[in-house]
Amino acid sequence: MELAVLGLSADEERVYEALVALPGSTVAALADHLSTSAGPVQRTLAALCAKHLVARSGRPARYLAAPPDIAINQLVQQRERELSAARAKVHSLSEIHRSAHRTSPELVIEQLTDRETIAAAVAHLESEAQHQVRVFDTPPYYEAPGGEGAARNTQAQIAHHQNDGVAHRVIYSLDAVTWPQKLETDILPAVRGGEEARTRPTLPIKLIIRDDQDALIPFDLSRSGLQVAYLVRRSPLLTALEALFEGEWAQATPLDGGVPGPDEETRSLCRMMMAGLTDSAIARVNGWSSRTTYRRLQRLMAELGASSRFQAGSLAERRGWL
């Protein structure tokens, strides 16, 4: 279980997992089980009690872990509230900016209105980064996935990472991962070149952030014949965009680079999903309980970044799992 993205420290996660397996344990029993001293365990238990993940009772004190399905769901809901607050902050600051723009000549946002200027701005953000580039990647695209331009961009990104140590963290929407040729020709080569990639079912905007210096927000206005993007310089709005990215990153699912592949059980489960077998049929074939079957299906869909079983099968096929 990886709970760091939900706000738990490594020690808190370790003690909570131990207590799930050993309900009603004392501090001494947990410390002995974890091969550590009682003092740190006592402090970690106090922190878990404060987060309502652990309850204490009796003398000597014995500890009981809250049911994982309830406790973890509470942590997820808290992260979702924080993410909603970040989105609301972006909206609020955008309104403030629009109001201030009418009276202040000092601009923190520059509007870009042609393809060449937008492409140059993207190249500048990528090439001038000193520490990291953070991206929301979702269609539509200026450079067709799988084309020469996209391939050049991917190779330049890989070189920037390997030669200069610039980190690339990218969140791909489900539409991006399933876009024709995008996964095979653009995403996986970048991941194998050092990119940290995660997926979300949807993303609120397209976005590129360079270090903590500036950001670009492209907009698709193709129906009106216009191509528009906004360049955001250091400002409270940029800070809000960074918070929005980190909130989405914390909830996103890591995207495997494709090596090594899944085990045979996972491949078999993918094939059964593609064949349209129901949960009960999958449970009978594998000798699993309905609860185990549900958990394995949900874990597999999360790993693939899928929001439905049909999409999970399609993504597994694109990754070469079938």
Side-chain angles (χ1 to χ4, degrees):
M1 186 170 16
E2 295 293 340
L3 302 181
V5 296
L6 299 179
L8 291 189
S9 68
D11 287 340
E12 288 171 346
E13 180 177 348
R14 194 160 65 102
V15 171
Y16 177 77
E17 288 185 345
L19 202 54
V20 168
L22 301 169
S25 294
T26 62
V27 171
L30 280 175
D32 182 64
H33 176 74
L34 296 171
S35 300
T36 187
S37 56
V41 172
Q42 180 72 64
R43 290 189 293 271
T44 301
L45 284 168
L48 290 171
C49 286
K51 294 178 179 179
H52 306 292
L53 294 175
V54 168
R56 169 183 171 173
S57 64
R59 289 179 178 275
R62 294 184 178 275
Y63 294 85
L64 186 67
D69 54 346
I70 297 175
I72 304 306
N73 187 52
Q74 289 175 339
L75 293 177
V76 171
Q77 290 175 350
Q78 175 62 29
R79 284 298 186 187
E80 289 176 343
R81 287 192 292 270
E82 293 171 358
L83 183 57
S84 295
R87 286 173 171 162
K89 186 65 173 178
V90 170
H91 177 74
S92 175
L93 289 172
S94 297
E95 292 296 326
I96 293 172
H97 171 265
R98 281 193 287 269
S99 177
H101 176 66
R102 290 192 289 268
T103 59
S104 173
E106 299 179 359
L107 302 180
V108 297
I109 296 182
E110 179 182 353
Q111 180 175 293
L112 311 179
T113 56
D114 65 84
R115 181 187 179 91
E116 291 73 19
T117 303
I118 295 171
V122 171
H124 173 79
L125 265 62
E126 290 279 359
S127 63
E128 296 301 316
Q130 299 295 312
H131 306 291
Q132 68 170 331
V133 176
R134 291 169 283 182
V135 179
F136 283 165
D137 188 309
T138 189
Y141 297 107
Y142 292 119
E143 296 284 357
E148 292 183 4
R152 284 196 301 271
N153 293 340
T154 299
Q155 291 304 315
Q157 171 186 315
I158 293 172
H160 201 195
H161 170 72
Q162 294 178 345
N163 298 335
D164 303 319
V166 175
H168 283 77
R169 290 195 287 150
V170 183
I171 305 176
Y172 295 94
S173 70
L174 180 60
D175 285 343
V177 176
T178 57
W179 193 272
Q181 300 186 63
K182 177 73 173 176
L183 180 66
E184 299 87 346
T185 61
D186 294 348
I187 299 177
L188 293 181
V191 171
R192 288 191 285 267
E195 175 183 282
E196 295 181 70
R198 297 186 179 185
T199 62
R200 289 282 280 158
T202 61
L203 290 171
I205 54 175
K206 292 170 71 74
L207 176 67
I208 305 173
I209 305 175
R210 176 180 70 98
D211 299 327
D212 59 353
Q213 298 300 309
D214 43 28
L216 188 74
I217 307 173
F219 282 84
D220 175 34
L221 300 177
S222 55
R223 291 184 180 178
S224 63
L226 297 176
Q227 293 177 334
V228 176
Y230 292 96
L231 183 63
V232 181
R233 298 183 175 85
R234 292 192 67 176
S235 61
L237 178 56
L238 178 60
T239 301
L241 290 172
E242 291 181 287
L244 177 61
F245 178 90
E246 296 301 338
E248 293 282 358
W249 181 264
Q251 297 193 67
T253 302
L255 179 63
D256 186 4
V259 178
D263 57 27
E264 183 54 38
E265 183 178 277
T266 300
R267 293 181 189 274
S268 175
L269 187 56
C270 289
R271 287 192 290 267
M272 285 185 280
M273 291 175 66
M274 282 290 286
L277 270 67
T278 64
D279 288 12
S280 59
I282 293 174
R284 286 195 301 271
V285 169
N286 292 281
W288 297 339
S289 67
S290 58
R291 187 170 185 178
T292 296
T293 303
Y294 174 79
R295 285 179 175 174
R296 295 197 180 190
L297 288 170
Q298 291 301 308
R299 187 183 305 121
L300 177 58
M301 289 174 62
E303 181 180 354
L304 290 166
S307 58
S308 71
R309 291 176 58 168
F310 177 80
Q311 289 170 332
S314 176
L315 288 170
E317 188 172 28
R318 286 181 175 275
R319 289 196 188 187
W321 289 10
L322 298 176

